[in-house]
Amino acid sequence: MYPRIRMRHRSALGRLETYGAHSLFSEIRQSAAATSQSVQQRAKTAVGAPRIQTLPSTDCTEESNEQNQSPPEWMEKEMIIGQQRRHSLALVDNVLESLQNYSDPVRSLRKEKLEGRLTLEQLVKLKKAFKDLEKNGNTSLDLDDFKVAVKKSIGLLGSSDGQIEKLFMKIDFTATGKIDWDQFCTFMQQNYAELEDTQLRYKNVCFNLPATIQEMAHGDNVVRVFPMQDNTLITVREDGHIYFWSTQLKLKRDKAIFEKSVKRTKWVTDFTILTQYNKLVLATGDREIQLYELSNLEPYCQITGLESTPLKLDYCVTDNDECLILYGDDKGCVNILLFTSIGETLRMWKKMPRPDGIMPSIGIDNAVLSPNVSLIRWKVHEDWVTQMKYYDSIKAVISASNDESTALVIGCTVGKTNIEHQMRDIKHHSKDLNGRRGKVINGPLQKRASGDQTVFQVYKGVKTFAFCKKNSLVVTGGMDRLVRMWNIYVPGRATAILRGHTAPIFSIDVSSEDNIIFSVATDNTAKIWDIQTHTCLFSTWSKTSGIRGELSACQYVPYIKTLCVITDSINLLQIKSKPVAQPHLDTSHKEPVLCCKYNKTFRQVVTCSEGSVIKVWDFETGKQVLEINEAHQDAAITCMTFDLSGRRLITGGRDGCLRIWNYNNGLCLHTLKKRESSAEICDCTYVDINRNKYTVAVGWDRRINLYYDSDDNLHHFQEPKQYWHDDKIRGHREDILCVAQKPPNLLASSSYDGEIIVWNMTSGHIQCRIDTSHHFESAGIKSTNNSVSKIIFLAKRTTQLQVAASLVSNGPLGTVNFWNLLHGGKLTASFRPSKIGTQISSLAVNKDNSLMFVSDNIGYVYVYEITNYAVHGPEKDPPMCVSHWRAHVSIITSLEVIDEDKVVLTSSVDRAVRLWSIAGEFIGTFGQADPWEVSTPASWKHPMVPYDILIDPQSMPIHPVLEEATHEPEDNPPKETSDLKVTPRAI
């Protein structure tokens, strides 16, 4: 996944002064000063009848005039419309051109956040203002003092009181009403660092998901994948079966090269291609190196009798008709075969006898007697070689092993200390050379001189590595799950350590052209890293990529920018430069969105996805503000809520943890978790009981967990308080799925078996228990799924109404149920909103409980008038359906009504978070290219609808002619119906 959130000390004063914040203020002043004459603008009116308005020139030196000046309303609307729609090319282009010439620096500064406009010089002045106030006995500042300090020391034009108040609330996340200089510095440092990380994630590098997958017949593991220049991928299995694939994973040809009689005893350890000579080279477990014709895979010749088992093979051309064939073995040796006339040598070997009747063979002892062949064998590692490759650009071979003391070694092929003597022997082919060769093969293993190699020591050794000549860089990975970056000339210490994998690293590749690193772990997690910034640009897991099974080989193919991952089947992950999923399809996350919440304090929307990614959006424009990656360490976030002040975000995840965030800068403040359990948390809420504040969490542990929230608690990790007595004795018997509160003291929880329990939070006793499955079974309705995943209180309905329903829940068979909580709980109404009877996924009501919003598993939202529904007793008919529309093409995971703006917020597993008017008009998708203004309907997408909904078959209208077998007479044409009008069915 993405880089983890960095934890920082409370005080960041020392670090803060090292950050040079660039300010656009001076540049804007200069551009504004250059605009000294009036600019004429044209409002959007009827074509051919423009209205001209002359705007006065703007003087940026007078603060009072700048604060009072604002563009006319028609201009603001035109700016939004012109940025999004092109009704008339000439008209809109003229309007945009004239609007771009209008310079209003004050308005631009007002829209920018205050903390994003501070320079280092202004921060120094602000620090002095803090210190001056401290001399007067004020160790911390309240809001009024903070306003005075900011305005006096910084003097930013356009800094309204509202902006300063918002900045104060972001820093004072505990709502104590005071802040000090250390808290201010900590917030600013974290804010700048998180914004930097967010910008890095916008780099246009990611995988095309899901991966292209080609199932293979069951067999042995693939030992390697080799990309050819003709867009062919070659894979070889351990049993000797060779496959040729296209880059679209279409099988071109395959062949089993081992005879049936030897299949059980012979296996392939590695292979490579002699491209210049059209030969395929195999290393086998029988200590052989075999050569085959690449065109028809016919046997050519083989070298037998090697001293050890070759595990890794490589090949490199050094000169005309000269090459190296290298192999690393199970004794930790790097073996180098030097060929001076390889074409002639191979032709001579092909004429050798065939001991097995299949392939010409020559023993290694006889092979090195040839004047064209030399063997050099270096004892490099104390464990077998895990990877090895020769790089002609540095004239050295790099090898790796699991031995920590010699984890990675860069060494020359021929020792530099005696290179002249050895080259003279090779050139003249003296008799002494033959004797020396025999010693190299049969004698004790030789080690390079210390000056002939560079040794890198790595904890738990190195499983895989990649080399980048452009950056003089070696990247390693292994059992310790860390990706290390090394300068090849500095072996003592890694230049960077990239953390993020949760399993041993299986493969690493480097793209020098794009300056990125690819790493794949044994849990099938693939990541893309930036070489320069050392940050994770993209992550994909097995669930999203579709890659499953045990890894056997990986290879990056640069000319098609594709990562080929081999498991039980072949998988191709293609790299794309623009992370756009489909044309016309706007998504807010790269993975399914599990929940979203609106924060009225800062006018922001917070969303989280299955990949444990939290995003903060500006509610008024739909633009992303902040992003927090791997918030729950690769465990999906299942629920979220805010504290009473709205300044802290609380998230619950599948790892059993609750985390409290200052989500304005991405700082994790506290972690709440049970010591003895890591059961998944399904829902959470924040409550105030007798002036004591608690975070309530429910989930798979089937208990009501209350975590005490206090400003005095400085511990990062906290445990819940003791359970209520009724909870331990008479609580839920199945997993709790949802929790809802009704101030001042009621709490309701629902479970997988359909049970709803209403608790008195003051005493901890059960006030009401409802067995929903019993109610439906008594009515003759049976269902295999009785779970209640969503409950809400109708808070405006007073308890004095003895027969009124005050709790609403979803239920089996796609029902919405109204419950009266008096006298043990009674079902007062039940109906099915969904057009096809699918399950109800979410419920919401507006502030005065007059409208109820219902969403289902196929993405529809239904609006019902419930002002007087189920108030005076049981209801047989459903409430009146005011409107409904399709908001998503998949399950809606969150549904929230924002009363002050009369809009509806929805999120779905289709990765989109969208905003709608109460009437169902499409405002936009968070993260779309064009911004909106909630208060300006002209900026909405309406009457357009999302593209994915437009093309989805379930969104198409239904005509009676298509449903009925017989046609009505022409004089009585059929009446058209639409999916936009569905008659709810009562039970």
Side-chain angles (χ1 to χ4, degrees), residues 37-308:
Q37 58 183 1
S38 300
V39 182
Q40 290 185 341
Q41 305 291 339
R42 183 175 64 183
K44 183 179 178 182
T45 56
V47 178
R51 180 179 52 158
I52 306 300
Q53 180 176 351
T54 302
L55 299 179
S57 59
T58 303
D59 184 5
C60 295
T61 60
E62 298 182 5
E63 182 178 356
S64 59
N65 292 337
E66 288 173 338
Q67 291 180 346
N68 295 329
Q69 180 184 3
S70 61
E73 183 180 357
W74 67 266
M75 183 176 292
E76 293 185 353
K77 293 183 179 180
E78 192 61 54
M79 291 179 69
I80 300 167
I81 298 171
Q83 290 173 358
Q84 301 186 60
R85 303 176 183 175
R86 301 179 64 87
H87 299 295
S88 171
L89 183 63
L91 173 62
V92 176
D93 284 350
N94 291 338
V95 172
L96 284 176
E97 183 180 359
S98 60
L99 289 174
Q100 290 171 356
N101 294 331
Y102 175 74
S103 177
D104 186 359
V106 180
R107 185 171 185 271
S108 301
L109 286 174
R110 287 199 199 108
K111 285 194 170 183
E112 188 180 350
K113 292 182 180 179
L114 180 61
E115 59 268 30
R117 294 151 44 194
L118 299 178
T119 65
L120 185 59
E121 180 182 357
Q122 292 165 342
L123 287 173
V124 173
K125 293 180 180 179
L126 184 59
K127 178 184 177 181
K128 185 177 182 302
F130 266 87
K131 296 301 180 183
D132 292 341
L133 290 171
E134 288 179 1
K135 292 178 181 179
N136 298 329
N138 297 327
T139 57
S140 56
L141 307 184
D142 58 16
L143 178 58
D144 294 334
D145 292 337
F146 183 69
K147 288 181 180 178
V148 173
V150 170
K151 291 182 178 180
K152 178 181 178 181
S153 59
I154 299 179
L156 282 176
L157 302 180
S159 299
S160 65
D161 288 350
Q163 288 179 315
I164 301 176
E165 288 176 7
K166 283 189 176 181
L167 176 59
F168 183 86
M169 288 190 292
K170 291 176 182 178
I171 302 171
D172 180 28
F173 54 85
T174 57
T176 59
K178 290 182 177 293
I179 62 173
D180 56 28
W181 175 247
D182 286 345
Q183 290 175 325
F184 179 83
C185 290
T186 301
F187 172 82
M188 293 299 297
Q189 178 194 338
Q190 188 74 22
N191 180 69
Y192 279 117
E194 194 59 40
L195 286 176
E196 180 184 0
D197 291 342
T198 302
Q199 291 300 321
L200 290 174
R201 298 186 200 106
Y202 278 106
K203 291 196 172 183
N204 295 326
V205 177
C206 61
F207 290 115
N208 271 310
L209 299 177
T212 303
I213 299 176
Q214 174 63 53
E215 298 292 338
M216 297 176 63
H218 292 288
D220 293 342
N221 289 335
V222 174
V223 297
R224 188 178 180 182
V225 54
F226 193 97
M228 299 290 290
Q229 291 298 327
D230 61 349
N231 292 344
T232 300
L233 303 176
I234 303 177
T235 61
V236 178
R237 280 182 164 170
E238 289 181 352
D239 57 7
H241 205 123
I242 302 177
Y243 298 85
F244 293 79
W245 307 87
S246 70
T247 53
Q248 291 76 34
L249 291 186
K250 302 297 182 182
L251 183 61
K252 294 182 175 180
R253 59 191 175 102
D254 67 304
K255 183 178 181 180
I257 59 175
F258 292 157
E259 294 292 332
K260 293 183 179 180
S261 59
V262 299
K263 269 190 176 182
R264 297 180 181 176
T265 59
K266 192 184 294 290
W267 73 94
V268 177
T269 57
D270 198 9
F271 80 97
T272 188
I273 305 295
L274 276 64
T275 52
Q276 284 78 4
Y277 305 97
N278 202 35
K279 299 292 186 296
L280 182 142
V281 185
L282 294 181
T284 71
D286 291 346
R287 300 183 180 182
E288 301 167 340
I289 295 179
Q290 298 183 340
L291 283 79
Y292 293 82
E293 290 285 357
L294 189 60
S295 56
N296 54 16
L297 297 180
E298 292 296 326
Y300 192 85
C301 65
Q302 66 180 353
I303 304 174
T304 61
L306 303 180
E307 284 296 306
S308 55

Side-chain angles (χ1 to χ4, degrees), residues 885-902:
W885 67 92
R886 196 170 194 196
H888 298 272
V889 295
S890 190
I891 301 174
I892 295 179
T893 55
S894 292
L895 181 66
E896 188 170 355
V897 184
I898 304 170
D899 284 275
E900 55 266 31
D901 296 283
K902 293 182 171 51

Side-chain angles (χ1 to χ4, degrees), residues 802-958:
Q802 297 291 326
V803 294
S806 57
L807 183 73
V808 185
S809 73
N810 63 353
L813 303 179
T815 58
V816 172
N817 308 305
F818 284 70
W819 303 93
N820 178 283
L821 300 182
L822 299 179
H823 311 295
K826 294 182 179 180
L827 179 64
T828 59
S830 182
F831 63 96
R832 300 178 189 174
S834 179
K835 59 177 292 187
I836 62 172
T838 187
Q839 288 293 114
I840 300 303
S841 60
S842 191
L843 301 168
V845 292
N846 62 348
K847 192 173 182 179
D848 60 2
N849 294 167
S850 60
L851 295 177
M852 181 178 67
F853 296 78
V854 182
S855 65
D856 63 12
N857 283 2
I858 61 172
Y860 277 90
V861 175
Y862 304 87
V863 186
Y864 290 93
E865 167 61 48
I866 61 168
T867 303
N868 297 312
Y869 187 75
V871 172
H872 304 291
E875 301 277 0
K876 294 182 179 180
D877 297 324
M880 182 180 66
C881 183
V882 178
S883 64
H884 61 281
W885 67 92
R886 196 170 194 196
H888 298 272
V889 295
S890 190
I891 301 174
I892 295 179
T893 55
S894 292
L895 181 66
E896 188 170 355
V897 184
I898 304 170
D899 284 275
E900 55 266 31
D901 296 283
K902 293 182 171 51
V903 295
V904 180
L905 178 67
T906 62
S907 67
S908 170
V909 296
D910 63 6
R911 302 176 295 156
V913 181
R914 290 179 175 138
L915 200 62
W916 311 81
S917 72
I918 287 183
E921 297 168 319
F922 180 40
I923 297 176
T925 301
F926 285 89
Q928 67 183 26
D930 303 323
W932 66 70
E933 283 196 11
V934 176
S935 59
T936 309
S939 67
W940 298 356
K941 288 287 188 178
H942 180 77
M944 297 173 60
V945 296
Y947 179 75
D948 53 341
I949 295 175
L950 183 65
I951 65 174
D952 190 83
Q954 290 183 324
S955 301
M956 301 300 176
I958 300 175

